[in-house]
Structures are given as structure tokens and as C-alpha cells.
Amino acid sequence: MDILANYGTILLIAAAVFGFLMAIGIGANDVANAMGTSVGSKALTVKQAIIIAMIFEFAGAYLAGGEVTDTIRKGVIDTTLFVNTPDLLVFGMMSALLAAGTWLLLASYMGWPVSTTHSIIGAIIGFALVSVGSEAVDWGSVQGIVGSWVITPFISGLFAYFIFISAQKFIFNTEQPLQNAKKYVPVYMFLTTIVIALVTIKKGLKHVGLHLTNGEAWFWAVAVSLLVMFVGYLYIQKRFKLDHDNHEHSFTGVEKVFSTLMVITACAMAFAHGSNDVANAIGPLSAIVSTIQNMGEISEKTKIAWWILPLGGIGIVVGLATMGHKVMSTVGTGITELTPSRGFAAQLATASTVVLASGTGLPISTTQTLVGAVLGVGFARGIAALNLGVVRNIVVSWVVTLPAGALLAIVFYEIMLMIFV
């Protein structure tokens, strides 16, 4: 208690710096995942992707990033065990932020798409083990996370495989691909919008105070999707009227149609991602701020201080702009060659899996979902279309993330104890 009273301001400033570092890591790694397919398929340039992500990630984080956040992500540890030693919880959360941020920056530098959620969870487990013991960890949650390494990429890969095969059947392998693209792409627009609207409504709007029932959520998602489909149909008919003679029997015009769709999905995915994953940085940070300001009183859910959300949003943008290109390159071009239609299949599969997971409460990593979807698209073209060396490195980095976060957190936790205790 004395430590919190004497060093409260110093600890707050240090925690804000560590939270900012974690947000930079999220920007460099996770956001680059969300934009990688758009860049890899050449629907967007790197510069355009960064500008879109800056606007929509920041908007998602700031507008829908949460008024109230769970102090500990996904209930991985039991905070009641820290009631008598709140200073240890503060040191632990600080070391977890620093450890996860460090690992994410290292992975981004190497071009590995890893999970920010699993990085912070691994770090929280690490400090809980050395500060209280194994009884502090909910091992059931950890089993679910390890299980999701296989389940999540498999589900999204399956979705992407069938979405891509459907595009081949209805559009590419026909005598009039452009004519069929103009007919079927508005239907894909409807499906994409309904999925992304559900992600945004379920994950974002509740933070702004709009609590819709499932029926209301579906009603608004369908209404918005029908509008997008209608506008999309008119736009595609008008834009590709002149291209008809030039591209009727080539795939160039078809890919142009899908490029239009990719830009819409990229914006929406960035907003949904910002609203959801900023919690990885601000959850532990708001726990630290709340515990220090309440002089050691630990609460399960905390009101977020006004400056924390913008801090997370700015950190994400800085990370993306400075280090995001390496992970973008791995996801967009390293695993398999992407075109706008293939990239679209991967993005729609990712969004669908996120909706499915949020409905069932499955612990999910957006990174692993997207990589699984890109693998599914590659697999639809045959195993030779996949760069198995890159795939192997990605899988190894996933397995290493949890223990790496835990080990780094233990090291930083011990250093903090040496400094302050």
C-alpha cells in the first residue's frame, strides 16, 4: 500500500508508456494482418492501406473501444488473490504490458503475424505464476486458447475455401465472367456487409451504450446490407458499363469488381478490429490506473480514464505506420499469391469466423483466423500454391507466443520488484 501511495505518479506514467508500447505492437502486427490481404492483392497500395487503417482503426478504438473494460482479459487469473497485495497486481500488469509489447515488436520486426491476445494472456499467466502460484491461473481458459490454435484457422480456412470455390464456379469458370461478376458480386456485398455489421454491432456498439437484442442486431444488419447491395449493384453496373467490350472474356474486369469490394471490407474490418483489440492494451492499463487511484482497491470491471482510449488509438496508428509493412508483406504475399477475389474470400471468411466465435464465446485470435483463411484460399488452388516454409515459421511463432510472453513478464516483474520493493 505504501508503495502505491509513495510511487503512484511514477507508476502511472510508466504504465502509460508500457500501454502505449503495447498499442504500437498491436498496430505493427494485428492491424497489418487486417490490411495484408488488401495490399497483397494490390486492391490497395501500402500507403492507402495505412491511411485507411489510421482513420478506421482510430475511429473504432476511440468511438467503440469501451466505456467499461474487463480488468483482466478473458478471466485468465483470479484477482481476488491479490486483495492483500494490490501493489503486486500493479507490478504484474505493468510487466505484462511491457512483455507483450516487447514480443509483438520483435515478432513484427521479423515479419511474424502473431496473436496480440495470446501475447498479453501469456504475459499475465507468467507474472501470476511467480507472484501467487499456479492456483491464480484459470487453466481451463488456457486449454481453450491452445485449442483455438487449431480450431480457429481450420474454421476460417474452410470458409475461405468454399467462398473461393463458389466464386470460381459462378464467375471465373463461365463463358461471361464479367457479366456474372456484375450479377453475383452484389450478393457477396450483401454477405460481407451482414457479417461485418454483426461484428460491429456485437463488439462495438455495446461500448457506446447501445445494447441491441439479437433480433434487433439482425434486423439492422440485414437492412444495412440490403442498402449496400443495392448501391453496390448500381455502382458496378455504371462503372463497368464501358469496360464490357474490353473485359467480357478476360478476368481483369472481374478482379476490378472485387477490388472495389476489398476496399469496403478493409475499412469495415479496420473499424471492427480497432473496437475489439484495443482492449488488449487498455484492459491491463485501466486495471493499473484504477488500482492506483483507488489506493489498492481491486475491481473486476473498471471505468476507463478519459486519456486511455486516445492513447491506445494513437499507439495503434504509430505502430502500423512505422512497422506494419513487414507483417503485411508476410500475410499478403508470403503465404500464397493473392488477387482481389482471393483476398476477398480470405477477408469474408475471417469476418464470418469472428462473428461465429463472438457468438459462441470461443477465445479467438484475429491473426490466426486471417492466416487460416489465406491458407484456405491457397489450398483451393492446390498445395503447390502455398509457401510451406513461411507457413511453418508462422505456426512456430504462434506456439512460442504464449511462453515467450510469460518468460518476458517474469523477467520484467522481478526487475520491478528489485527497483520498488
Side-chain angles (χ1 to χ4, degrees):
M1 293 292 190
D2 290 344
I3 292 169
L4 296 186
N6 296 335
Y7 298 107
T9 309
I10 295 170
L11 291 172
L12 273 178
I13 293 167
V17 171
F18 297 165
F20 189 66
L21 183 78
M22 173 71 181
I24 290 174
I26 292 172
N29 205 288
D30 250 25
V31 181
N33 275 307
M35 288 288 151
T37 46
S38 306
V39 174
S41 64
K42 298 186 173 56
L44 292 169
T45 64
V46 173
K47 192 181 276 186
Q48 287 168 336
I50 287 171
I51 291 166
I52 285 175
M54 280 177 172
I55 296 164
F56 286 92
E57 286 279 345
F58 186 80
Y62 189 62
L63 299 175
E67 278 299 304
V68 175
T69 183
D70 290 334
T71 304
I72 314 299
R73 288 285 286 158
K74 306 197 191 310
V76 176
I77 62 167
D78 182 3
T79 50
T80 55
L81 296 172
F82 292 92
V83 169
N84 297 323
T85 52
D87 49 334
L88 294 187
L89 181 68
V90 168
F91 293 146
M93 284 294 162
M94 286 172 69
S95 60
L97 279 174
L98 185 55
T102 304
W103 172 247
L104 286 174
L105 290 176
L106 176 66
S108 303
Y109 178 75
M110 299 300 290
W112 299 332
V114 297
S115 166
T116 53
T117 309
H118 295 176
S119 303
I120 193 71
I121 288 173
I124 289 171
I125 290 169
F127 97 77
L129 285 175
V130 292
S131 59
V132 176
S134 60
E135 68 272 18
V137 180
D138 177 2
W139 293 107
S141 294
V142 178
Q143 278 179 332
I145 292 160
V146 173
S148 75
W149 290 346
V150 179
I151 296 164
T152 309
F154 177 75
I155 293 170
S156 63
L158 212 58
F159 280 163
Y161 179 86
F162 285 114
I163 292 163
F164 181 66
I165 292 293
S166 75
Q168 294 281 79
K169 184 177 181 338
F170 293 121
I171 298 170
F172 288 95
N173 296 342
T174 61
E175 288 182 6
Q176 296 181 311
L178 183 59
Q179 199 60 29
N180 285 324
K182 285 156 80 172
K183 186 164 55 172
Y184 288 113
V185 166
V187 178
Y188 285 128
M189 281 185 166
F190 174 82
L191 293 172
T192 307
T193 311
I194 202 165
V195 166
I196 288 171
L198 285 170
V199 171
T200 309
I201 289 166
K202 286 182 174 294
K203 293 199 169 231
L205 294 185
K206 63 182 179 190
H207 298 317
V208 193
L210 283 175
H211 296 276
L212 302 180
T213 63
N214 270 344
E216 288 169 335
W218 275 96
F219 171 78
W220 285 109
V222 170
V224 170
S225 304
L226 284 170
L227 180 66
V228 168
M229 181 171 81
F230 179 66
V231 172
Y233 176 79
L234 293 178
Y235 174 78
I236 288 168
Q237 293 298 328
K238 188 178 177 186
R239 181 176 170 192
F240 295 98
K241 203 176 197 173
L242 300 173
D243 285 359
H244 191 279
D245 296 332
N246 302 332
H247 294 305
E248 181 48 53
H249 297 288
S250 79
F251 295 140
T252 317
V254 179
E255 292 296 358
K256 274 188 181 177
V257 178
F258 275 104
S259 287
T260 309
L261 190 53
M262 284 285 290
V263 176
I264 299 166
T265 54
C267 296
M269 282 301 288
F271 184 87
H273 179 267
S275 67
N276 186 42
D277 272 36
V278 73
N280 286 320
I282 65 171
L285 179 54
S286 63
I288 295 163
V289 173
S290 164
T291 307
I292 291 172
Q293 288 178 342
N294 296 328
M295 293 311 293
E297 189 186 324
I298 297 167
S299 43
E300 281 298 310
K301 287 182 183 278
T302 53
K303 184 96 173 142
I304 296 176
W306 65 269
W307 53 270
I308 292 180
L309 272 174
L311 184 86
I314 293 165
I316 283 176
V317 167
V318 170
L320 175 74
T322 54
M323 293 180 69
H325 58 281
K326 286 197 174 181
V327 179
M328 267 193 214
S329 171
T330 302
V331 174
T333 55
I335 299 170
T336 189
E337 188 188 340
L338 290 177
T339 60
S341 55
R342 294 171 198 160
F344 160 72
Q347 269 192 345
L348 179 54
T350 303
S352 306
T353 310
V354 169
V355 168
L356 187 73
S358 65
T360 55
L362 192 76
I364 192 168
S365 155
T366 19
T367 309
Q368 291 171 358
T369 312
L370 184 73
V371 170
V374 174
L375 285 171
V377 170
F379 202 68
R381 296 167 54 227
I383 197 81
L386 294 170
N387 186 334
L388 295 177
V390 171
V391 174
R392 185 193 64 233
N393 290 345
I394 290 171
V395 171
V396 169
S397 71
W398 287 357
V399 175
V400 170
T401 293
L402 220 68
L407 283 170
L408 284 168
I410 290 168
V411 171
F412 292 137
Y413 179 74
E414 293 297 341
I415 291 169
M416 278 185 208
L417 288 185
M418 283 161 57
I419 293 169
F420 290 103
V421 179

